[in-house]
Amino acid sequence: GNSVTQMEGPVTLSEEAFLTINCTYTATGYPSLFWYVQYPGEGLQLLLKATKADDKGSNKGFEATYRKETTSFHLEKGSVQVSDSAVYFCALKGGKLIFGQGTELSVKP
Amino acid sequence: GAGVSQSPRYKVAKRGRDVALRCDSISGHVTLYWYRQTLGQGSEVLTYSQSDAQRDKSGRPSGRFSAERPERSVSTLKIQRTEQGDSAVYLCASIPSLRQGNTEAFFGQGTRLTVV
Protein backbone atom coordinates (compact mmCIF):
# COMPACT_ATOMS: atom_id res chain seq x y z
CA GLY A 1 0.00 0.00 0.00
CA ASN A 2 0.90 3.65 -0.11
CA SER A 3 3.26 4.99 2.51
CA VAL A 4 5.23 8.09 3.45
CA THR A 5 8.57 8.22 5.27
CA GLN A 6 10.06 11.38 6.76
CA MET A 7 13.41 12.07 8.33
CA GLU A 8 13.33 11.75 12.08
CA GLY A 9 13.38 14.76 14.33
CA PRO A 10 13.76 16.79 16.27
CA VAL A 11 15.69 19.11 14.00
CA THR A 12 17.29 22.07 15.76
CA LEU A 13 18.61 25.00 13.72
CA SER A 14 19.77 28.53 14.33
CA GLU A 15 17.81 31.40 12.85
CA GLU A 16 18.63 32.05 9.16
CA ALA A 17 19.97 28.52 8.64
CA PHE A 18 19.01 26.44 5.62
CA LEU A 19 16.36 23.79 6.20
CA THR A 20 15.79 20.46 4.49
CA ILE A 21 13.29 17.91 5.74
CA ASN A 22 13.40 14.75 3.67
CA CYS A 23 10.26 12.95 2.58
CA THR A 24 10.02 9.86 0.38
CA TYR A 25 6.96 7.92 -0.60
CA THR A 26 5.77 4.70 -2.13
CA ALA A 27 2.57 4.73 -4.12
CA THR A 28 0.78 3.22 -7.05
CA GLY A 29 -0.41 5.61 -9.70
CA TYR A 30 0.08 9.34 -9.50
CA PRO A 31 -0.66 10.66 -6.03
CA SER A 32 -0.80 14.26 -4.94
CA LEU A 33 1.77 15.29 -2.34
CA PHE A 34 1.42 17.75 0.51
CA TRP A 35 3.25 19.29 3.40
CA TYR A 36 1.16 20.14 6.45
CA VAL A 37 2.40 22.13 9.44
CA GLN A 38 1.26 22.09 13.04
CA TYR A 39 2.27 25.10 15.11
CA PRO A 40 2.27 24.75 18.91
CA GLY A 41 -1.27 24.67 20.25
CA GLU A 42 -2.84 24.71 16.80
CA GLY A 43 -4.32 22.19 14.40
CA LEU A 44 -2.72 20.84 11.23
CA GLN A 45 -2.86 23.20 8.29
CA LEU A 46 -1.80 22.93 4.68
CA LEU A 47 1.60 24.47 3.92
CA LEU A 48 2.03 23.55 0.25
CA LYS A 49 1.11 20.93 -2.31
CA ALA A 50 2.03 19.47 -5.70
CA THR A 51 -0.22 17.40 -7.90
CA LYS A 52 2.06 16.00 -10.59
CA ALA A 53 5.69 15.19 -11.34
CA ASP A 54 8.06 18.17 -11.45
CA ASP A 55 5.50 20.49 -9.88
CA LYS A 56 6.96 22.78 -7.24
CA GLY A 57 4.78 23.80 -4.30
CA SER A 58 5.75 26.94 -2.42
CA ASN A 59 4.41 29.03 0.44
CA LYS A 60 5.89 31.29 3.16
CA GLY A 61 9.39 30.77 1.77
CA PHE A 62 9.08 26.97 1.87
CA GLU A 63 9.40 24.91 -1.31
CA ALA A 64 9.09 21.27 -2.28
CA THR A 65 9.41 19.65 -5.71
CA TYR A 66 7.54 16.49 -6.70
CA ARG A 67 10.30 14.13 -7.90
CA LYS A 68 8.84 11.01 -9.40
CA GLU A 69 12.19 9.52 -10.36
CA THR A 70 13.35 9.55 -6.73
CA THR A 71 9.84 9.32 -5.20
CA SER A 72 10.65 12.30 -3.02
CA PHE A 73 9.08 15.57 -1.91
CA HIS A 74 11.73 17.19 0.30
CA LEU A 75 10.80 20.41 2.09
CA GLU A 76 13.31 23.28 1.93
CA LYS A 77 13.62 26.81 3.18
CA GLY A 78 16.58 29.06 2.59
CA SER A 79 16.48 30.99 5.87
CA VAL A 80 14.40 29.75 8.80
CA GLN A 81 12.91 31.96 11.49
CA VAL A 82 12.01 31.26 15.11
CA SER A 83 8.36 31.43 14.06
CA ASP A 84 8.90 28.38 11.81
CA SER A 85 9.24 26.17 14.89
CA ALA A 86 6.53 23.54 14.45
CA VAL A 87 5.95 19.93 13.47
CA TYR A 88 5.96 19.28 9.73
CA PHE A 89 4.08 16.40 8.13
CA CYS A 90 4.57 15.08 4.62
CA ALA A 91 1.38 13.57 3.18
CA LEU A 92 0.22 11.69 0.13
CA LYS A 93 -3.24 11.36 -1.38
CA GLY A 94 -3.79 8.68 -3.94
CA GLY A 95 -6.86 7.21 -2.35
CA LYS A 96 -6.74 7.79 1.35
CA LEU A 97 -4.87 10.78 2.71
CA ILE A 98 -1.93 9.37 4.65
CA PHE A 99 0.83 11.08 6.59
CA GLY A 100 4.43 10.56 7.52
CA GLN A 101 5.37 10.46 11.17
CA GLY A 102 6.13 14.16 11.44
CA THR A 103 9.38 16.06 11.97
CA GLU A 104 9.67 18.52 14.80
CA LEU A 105 11.62 21.66 13.92
CA SER A 106 13.01 23.95 16.60
CA VAL A 107 14.62 27.23 15.52
CA LYS A 108 16.77 29.05 18.07
CA PRO A 109 17.45 32.80 17.93
CA GLY B 1 -18.32 28.50 12.35
CA ALA B 2 -16.30 28.06 9.21
CA GLY B 3 -13.79 25.50 10.48
CA VAL B 4 -13.69 21.97 11.81
CA SER B 5 -14.50 21.71 15.47
CA GLN B 6 -13.77 18.81 17.80
CA SER B 7 -15.03 18.15 21.31
CA PRO B 8 -14.04 17.68 23.96
CA ARG B 9 -10.54 19.14 23.68
CA TYR B 10 -9.34 16.95 26.54
CA LYS B 11 -10.69 13.66 27.82
CA VAL B 12 -9.54 11.43 30.64
CA ALA B 13 -10.96 7.91 30.66
CA LYS B 14 -10.49 4.96 32.92
CA ARG B 15 -9.04 1.92 31.23
CA GLY B 16 -11.73 -0.40 29.96
CA ARG B 17 -14.38 2.29 29.56
CA ASP B 18 -15.87 3.35 26.24
CA VAL B 19 -15.40 6.91 24.98
CA ALA B 20 -17.01 8.97 22.24
CA LEU B 21 -15.32 11.90 20.52
CA ARG B 22 -17.22 14.37 18.35
CA CYS B 23 -16.27 16.16 15.15
CA ASP B 24 -18.29 18.93 13.51
CA SER B 25 -16.96 19.17 10.00
CA ILE B 26 -17.55 21.83 7.38
CA SER B 27 -21.00 21.91 5.84
CA GLY B 28 -20.95 20.54 2.31
CA HIS B 29 -17.75 18.58 2.74
CA VAL B 30 -18.00 15.02 1.58
CA THR B 31 -15.14 13.06 3.11
CA LEU B 32 -14.25 12.89 6.77
CA TYR B 33 -11.23 11.17 8.31
CA TRP B 34 -10.35 10.23 11.86
CA TYR B 35 -6.66 9.99 12.71
CA ARG B 36 -4.76 9.05 15.82
CA GLN B 37 -1.62 11.13 16.30
CA THR B 38 1.21 10.03 18.57
CA LEU B 39 4.66 11.54 18.87
CA GLY B 40 7.14 9.80 16.65
CA GLN B 41 4.52 7.64 14.98
CA GLY B 42 2.73 10.32 13.06
CA SER B 43 -0.90 10.20 12.15
CA GLU B 44 -2.55 6.82 11.66
CA VAL B 45 -5.81 6.61 9.73
CA LEU B 46 -8.49 5.07 11.95
CA THR B 47 -11.47 5.38 9.69
CA TYR B 48 -12.92 7.55 7.01
CA SER B 49 -16.33 8.08 5.50
CA GLN B 50 -17.73 9.57 2.37
CA SER B 51 -21.26 10.82 2.07
CA ASP B 52 -23.36 12.05 -0.76
CA ALA B 53 -27.02 12.48 -1.32
CA GLN B 54 -27.68 8.77 -1.72
CA ARG B 55 -25.54 6.95 0.76
CA ASP B 56 -23.00 7.06 3.53
CA LYS B 57 -19.96 4.82 3.15
CA SER B 58 -17.85 4.24 6.20
CA GLY B 59 -14.34 2.92 6.36
CA ARG B 60 -14.01 -0.54 7.78
CA PRO B 61 -14.02 -0.27 11.55
CA SER B 62 -10.78 -1.37 13.06
CA GLY B 63 -11.53 -3.53 16.05
CA ARG B 64 -12.42 -1.27 18.94
CA PHE B 65 -12.64 1.86 16.80
CA SER B 66 -15.74 2.82 14.88
CA ALA B 67 -17.21 6.02 13.51
CA GLU B 68 -20.80 7.06 13.06
CA ARG B 69 -22.07 9.93 11.00
CA PRO B 70 -25.54 10.77 12.29
CA GLU B 71 -25.61 13.96 10.23
CA ARG B 72 -23.59 14.76 7.15
CA SER B 73 -21.42 17.30 8.95
CA VAL B 74 -21.14 15.46 12.29
CA SER B 75 -19.10 12.37 13.11
CA THR B 76 -18.61 10.51 16.36
CA LEU B 77 -15.57 8.31 16.89
CA LYS B 78 -16.26 5.57 19.40
CA ILE B 79 -13.48 3.71 21.18
CA GLN B 80 -14.54 0.62 23.03
CA ARG B 81 -12.74 -0.81 26.06
CA THR B 82 -10.03 1.84 26.08
CA GLU B 83 -6.44 0.78 26.71
CA GLN B 84 -3.52 2.85 27.93
CA GLY B 85 -2.03 2.65 24.46
CA ASP B 86 -5.03 4.58 23.18
CA SER B 87 -3.68 7.72 24.86
CA ALA B 88 -3.07 10.06 21.95
CA VAL B 89 -4.44 13.05 20.11
CA TYR B 90 -7.40 12.19 17.88
CA LEU B 91 -7.76 14.38 14.82
CA CYS B 92 -10.71 14.87 12.54
CA ALA B 93 -10.13 16.01 8.94
CA SER B 94 -12.73 17.23 6.48
CA ILE B 95 -12.30 17.19 2.70
CA PRO B 96 -14.59 19.05 0.32
CA SER B 97 -15.05 16.57 -2.48
CA LEU B 98 -14.74 13.03 -3.72
CA ARG B 99 -12.12 14.09 -6.25
CA GLN B 100 -8.87 12.25 -5.90
CA GLY B 101 -5.79 14.36 -5.95
CA ASN B 102 -5.10 17.80 -4.71
CA THR B 103 -8.05 18.51 -2.47
CA GLU B 104 -6.90 20.11 0.75
CA ALA B 105 -7.91 18.60 4.08
CA PHE B 106 -9.14 20.85 6.90
CA PHE B 107 -8.35 19.72 10.43
CA GLY B 108 -9.86 20.20 13.82
CA GLN B 109 -7.59 21.02 16.75
CA GLY B 110 -7.88 17.50 18.06
CA THR B 111 -9.00 15.77 21.23
CA ARG B 112 -6.27 14.72 23.62
CA LEU B 113 -7.32 11.43 25.21
CA THR B 114 -5.56 10.14 28.30
CA VAL B 115 -6.39 6.65 29.48
CA VAL B 116 -5.57 6.02 33.13
Side-chain angles (χ1 to χ4, degrees):
Chain A
N2 295 348
S3 66
V4 178
T5 303
Q6 291 180 232
M7 65 185 284
E8 290 192 18
V11 173
T12 302
L13 295 174
S14 298
E15 208 164 22
E16 299 183 3
F18 184 86
L19 168 72
T20 301
I21 300 178
N22 289 341
C23 171
T24 57
Y25 68 91
T26 57
T28 55
Y30 302 94
S32 293
L33 301 174
F34 306 82
W35 278 98
Y36 281 82
V37 59
Q38 188 171 29
Y39 297 103
E42 298 184 18
L44 277 160
Q45 55 188 280
L46 182 67
L47 179 61
L48 54 83
K49 65 185 179 187
T51 60
K52 59 184 188 297
D54 301 324
D55 267 3
K56 178 186 284 188
S58 60
N59 186 26
K60 300 182 181 181
F62 290 88
E63 292 183 340
T65 301
Y66 189 143
R67 301 280 189 207
K68 192 163 177 62
E69 63 277 12
T70 54
T71 62
S72 65
F73 193 54
H74 304 321
L75 182 68
E76 297 182 336
K77 186 173 185 182
S79 176
V80 293
Q81 306 300 312
V82 172
S83 58
D84 294 326
S85 297
V87 182
Y88 293 82
F89 292 87
C90 185
L92 171 159
K93 191 171 190 298
K96 290 182 185 179
L97 175 64
I98 59 174
F99 289 83
Q101 71 271 35
T103 302
E104 183 179 0
L105 171 66
S106 177
V107 181
K108 306 297 185 188
Chain B
V4 179
S5 175
Q6 291 185 241
S7 60
R9 290 291 310 278
Y10 302 92
K11 175 75 176 176
V12 178
K14 291 191 72 171
R15 189 174 53 182
R17 301 294 290 268
D18 298 349
V19 299
L21 311 179
R22 179 183 169 110
C23 173
D24 289 85
S25 64
I26 299 171
S27 179
H29 281 200
V30 173
T31 305
L32 193 149
Y33 284 78
W34 280 99
Y35 294 90
R36 177 166 62 182
Q37 187 183 48
T38 51
L39 262 181
Q41 296 181 33
S43 300
E44 169 195 5
V45 178
L46 295 174
T47 184
Y48 71 101
S49 67
Q50 296 173 340
S51 66
D52 57 22
Q54 287 79 44
R55 62 192 182 278
D56 180 22
K57 287 194 292 187
S58 292
R60 181 172 60 86
S62 173
R64 298 179 294 107
F65 296 83
S66 63
E68 295 179 357
R69 203 160 175 182
E71 303 167 37
R72 202 170 295 180
S73 62
V74 177
S75 177
T76 302
L77 177 70
K78 295 189 175 180
I79 309 173
Q80 296 178 304
R81 302 180 304 281
T82 52
E83 303 171 355
Q84 284 192 312
D86 295 334
S87 297
V89 175
Y90 289 81
L91 295 173
C92 169
S94 175
I95 297 179
S97 76
L98 288 169
R99 277 180 56 212
Q100 302 302 324
N102 68 345
T103 316
E104 176 182 353
F106 296 83
F107 286 83
Q109 288 191 302
T111 296
R112 180 174 292 280
L113 173 66
T114 303
V115 180
V116 297

